[in-house]
Amino acid sequence: MTAIALRPPEVVMRLQRLGAAHPTRLSFLRQLIRRATRERWRVRKHLFDLDDHGFGRVVYAVETPARTYSLVAFSTPLDDEKRSDRVIAQAWDTSYVLYDGLPDAADIARLEANAPLQEAGRYTSRELVLARANKSVRLFEDVATALAQGQQPDEEQLLGVGYLLRTTAVYGNGKFGIADRDEIAARPELAGSFQAEMLTVWLIRSFTLDLVDHIAHCRNPAGAARLAPDLRRALGVGNATGLGMAPFLVRHPLLTHSWFLARETALARVRAEPQAGEAERDAFSNALTDLRRRVARWHSDDSRQAAATRLLADDLDTLTESLDQLLAKPRPWDALYRFAEDHFSLEAQEACVSLILEPHGALIDELGDTMKADETPGHTVDGGMNCGSLRHALLDCYSWAADIDFAHPAANARFWYVSAEKLEPRLGERFEEDGAELEQPLATARDALGLAAALAQEPSSASVADFLLRRPEWRHAVRRAQIVAKFPYAEIHDNMIGAELRPVDILRAKLAFFGARSFDPRSDRWLRIALFSGEPLIEDVATMAGEPA
């Protein structure tokens, strides 16, 4: 079978395409679901202590083959005027900790005093993830009211939103005193990217559904209904994500490369398949039908996303009409992809990538194990390289940046800095705001061109070590150039400080790898999404037949 080349970085790593990303079966939550189902993880309520208004504490224990993890959840009263998606909020409807093991009464009391404080609390290495969430107030109340009256909520309204609670932060990897990544990285169930965080959100989803059922029952013990199973499965967990997450793909080049390389390798493998079997055709058709349903409910007030969604719906209609003809061709999946590339919007092209991968778990799922990276070697500069070779590599890897004129104010309009208040990245306006002297090294294109110009003044045979002894201000750019030369998907091929930058494009690319759906930009700097909508409930995986695709 003749191989098909991977899509090159100059196609894949452009911001417009990143901002059209869709989740795939390699997404992190899908990897977690497959493992939990295969290993038959069991979930039980260790503690369910909520009052009639739904305030109190709950502990869910998850038993994996090797160890137990617990979601410790706290629900507290919150005035409407204090409810906010912004990271600067100081109070939330609910707060959570993913605990390593089963907490005793003293642990729960300690966490009850600290978890609602979030960043201001005190934690130990037994806490793996820290999170918080707010109710989608009107919808949550509408659902609780309907259930209390013995009725199911309005399905269109419910599925149009897709969640009852929306997280505003899910912290892991040692933040605010919780366990460092090194403490769990060797555990198979948490070794993959963001598996502890995905487990936390999966459990929060179950808490959300139990919470609304509990409140409805307390309002009408004799006549309340439980949320119907199909609606429970359809609902996910909302998330509001902003600038704090945006630089991640820039700051972690080796990890970024591993994610995109796995996805692009999977796509190339499937496109090279000589034919489409009946089972694969059926799985693709089912995935296409499901996506068309989701797109019909995909609402956004953002004019750009609303227009993209309309185009996506039209393109999916065209794909449905053309499907039999495309799948009858030699190398049918390649024919389908090329048809999308020639005729569809970027949104629909990337949706087709997701759809093409869906029927081919046996061919591609093992690539999930490659979506991690030890980034320690990436911090080592090869000082023995000569300046001529480095400049040649720079001009090659950053050829896409050659046309950017950084002397023009629009090309140099922004700067990234870390907020002293929240210790998270923010984006400043260079010519309107103070603080540019605190700029973080995220202007990759500008710095690469500057480094190339500096190297042009050096003898080609001079060593990089010699150069950096005299010009240490270029060390970060040298290190990055040497990484990008070896790992082609490590770099976003766009200007990260230009006036036209839309950080939500970077956010969407990362969140798609998590498994997010229903992207809803609220500005060019933050967006809302849904996680786990339509996926199995964690409490059901122990009894599911086989392994989910």
Side-chain angles (χ1 to χ4, degrees), residues 266-400:
L267 178 61
R269 284 185 186 178
V270 174
R271 289 175 62 190
E273 286 289 282
Q275 59 187 14
E278 184 177 351
E280 287 76 21
R281 288 169 178 257
D282 289 346
F284 184 91
S285 294
N286 290 339
L288 176 57
T289 299
D290 180 64
L291 181 58
R292 293 177 74 193
R293 286 198 204 99
R294 289 178 182 274
V295 170
R297 296 194 298 263
W298 186 350
H299 172 76
S300 176
D301 291 330
D302 179 77
S303 59
R304 182 181 296 202
Q305 183 57 60
T309 305
R310 288 193 294 271
L311 281 176
L312 173 60
D314 292 342
D315 288 340
L316 293 178
D317 289 344
T318 300
L319 178 60
T320 302
E321 295 166 1
S322 308
L323 187 58
D324 289 342
Q325 181 182 356
L326 290 169
L327 294 186
K329 293 186 175 185
R331 280 191 172 178
W333 305 111
D334 181 52
L336 194 157
Y337 175 79
R338 288 187 286 105
F339 180 83
E341 195 173 46
D342 291 342
H343 296 92
F344 291 171
S345 65
L346 282 178
E347 185 88 47
Q349 289 176 38
E350 294 306 296
C352 283
V353 171
S354 175
L355 290 169
I356 288 169
L357 299 187
E358 192 60 33
H360 296 96
L363 184 63
I364 67 171
D365 283 352
E366 50 89 15
L367 289 167
D369 293 336
T370 71
M371 298 174 74
K372 50 192 175 185
D374 179 4
E375 295 195 291
T376 305
H379 293 281
T380 303
V381 169
D382 177 8
M385 189 178 194
N386 68 55
C387 290
S389 296
L390 179 58
R391 185 169 185 271
H392 179 78
L394 267 169
L395 295 176
D396 182 40
C397 294
Y398 289 90
S399 60
W400 54 269

Side-chain angles (χ1 to χ4, degrees), residues 456-479:
Q457 306 304 312
E458 301 291 323
S460 291
S461 59
S463 73
V464 167
D466 235 15
F467 169 71
L468 289 178
L469 279 173
R470 290 179 285 104
R471 304 291 302 274
E473 70 271 20
W474 292 112
R475 189 176 190 278
H476 72 283
V478 170
R479 181 176 62 237

Side-chain angles (χ1 to χ4, degrees), residues 479-548:
R479 181 176 62 237
R480 188 167 195 93
Q482 290 179 340
I483 291 172
V484 174
K486 295 178 182 177
F487 302 98
Y489 295 102
E491 192 73 283
I492 294 172
H493 285 214
D494 269 299
N495 182 11
M496 295 293 292
I497 56 171
E500 299 301 313
L501 173 71
R502 283 174 50 89
V504 291
D505 291 336
I506 315 170
L507 293 172
R508 176 161 172 178
K510 183 184 178 186
L511 291 165
F513 277 106
F514 284 11
R517 301 182 187 273
S518 304
F519 301 96
D520 181 16
R522 311 302 290 182
S523 76
D524 68 350
R525 301 189 179 199
W526 73 284
L527 76 169
R528 291 175 178 167
I529 55 153
L531 290 164
F532 288 98
S533 56
E535 303 293 351
L537 300 169
I538 190 170
E539 55 265 36
D540 292 341
V541 296
T543 57
M544 288 173 57
E547 184 175 333

Side-chain angles (χ1 to χ4, degrees), residues 236-284:
V237 176
N239 174 265
T241 297
L243 282 173
M245 189 187 282
F248 185 93
L249 295 183
V250 183
R251 286 181 165 169
H252 298 275
L254 297 182
L255 196 60
T256 297
H257 171 81
S258 75
W259 293 1
F260 283 92
L261 178 63
R263 191 191 68 185
E264 295 307 311
T265 301
L267 178 61
R269 284 185 186 178
V270 174
R271 289 175 62 190
E273 286 289 282
Q275 59 187 14
E278 184 177 351
E280 287 76 21
R281 288 169 178 257
D282 289 346
F284 184 91

